[in-house]
Amino acid sequence: MKILVVHGPNLNLLGSREPGVYGAATLDLINSSLSALGGELGCTLSFFQSNHEGELVECIHGAVGEVDAIIINPAGLTHTSVVLRDALLATGLRFVEVHLSNIHAREEFRRVSLLADAAVGVICGFGPSSYLLGLRALAAEQ
Ligand code: DQA
């Protein structure tokens, strides 16, 4: 199974960004852990991070015919982006939405996700393990 992992805005700063909320793991570390688990589960992973909504949309469009599913942490765009939702729906690809923090235990505006109802599932609050759990969930469908 081929899986694209998409990281949204500001996640390039993981490790130094609000460590009390997002933890100490860097994006590179999260991606390495995913690659290692992907190897165990027979999945091939590719990764993309951008701070630009349009680039994320282009990446998602480009995934059609290339991957079987997407794991996405849309970051702040979770709560605002009709465009990202439309891009994911346009591809028809199955996707899992993940978040490091528990978005339901934070500010009111973070409780709304414009993507969640279109996702296979949503995993939040487990730090980097949210991504790993998302990968396990997709791999279990094989
Ligand atoms: C986040 C939660 C979002 O609300 C926030 O804007 C982020 C990261 C998370 O992984 O916990 O950038 O998606």
Side-chain angles (χ1 to χ4, degrees):
M1 183 182 244
K2 289 185 188 170
I3 297 174
L4 170 67
V5 181
V6 178
H7 306 282
N10 301 307
L11 295 174
N12 56 310
L13 299 180
L14 287 178
S16 61
R17 175 193 180 198
E18 298 182 80
V21 177
Y22 298 116
T26 62
L27 197 60
D28 281 349
L29 188 62
I30 290 172
N31 288 345
S32 315
S33 312
L34 281 165
S35 285
L37 181 62
E40 285 172 33
L41 299 174
C43 299
T44 306
L45 271 59
S46 51
F47 301 95
F48 185 77
Q49 190 277 328
S50 178
N51 295 320
H52 303 277
E53 194 175 34
E55 286 184 3
L56 293 163
V57 167
E58 302 279 1
C59 171
I60 289 165
H61 290 177
V64 177
E66 300 292 327
V67 304
D68 303 300
I70 294 175
I71 295 171
I72 183 166
N73 183 347
L77 294 173
T78 307
H79 320 296
T80 62
S81 183
V82 174
V83 170
L84 206 53
R85 175 194 174 87
D86 286 348
L88 286 159
L89 289 176
T91 66
L93 286 164
R94 294 166 67 71
F95 71 94
V96 174
E97 176 183 330
V98 301
H99 301 279
L100 297 151
S101 63
N102 179 354
I103 57 174
H104 301 288
R106 300 181 61 194
E107 302 95 324
E108 186 86 35
F109 66 86
R110 291 188 205 275
R111 293 184 194 159
V112 175
S113 166
L114 299 193
L115 312 182
D117 65 294
V120 179
V122 181
I123 301 168
C124 70
F126 296 98
S129 294
S130 293
Y131 287 90
L132 299 171
L133 290 165
L135 175 55
R136 284 190 188 279
L138 285 173
E141 295 186 319
Q142 288 184 94

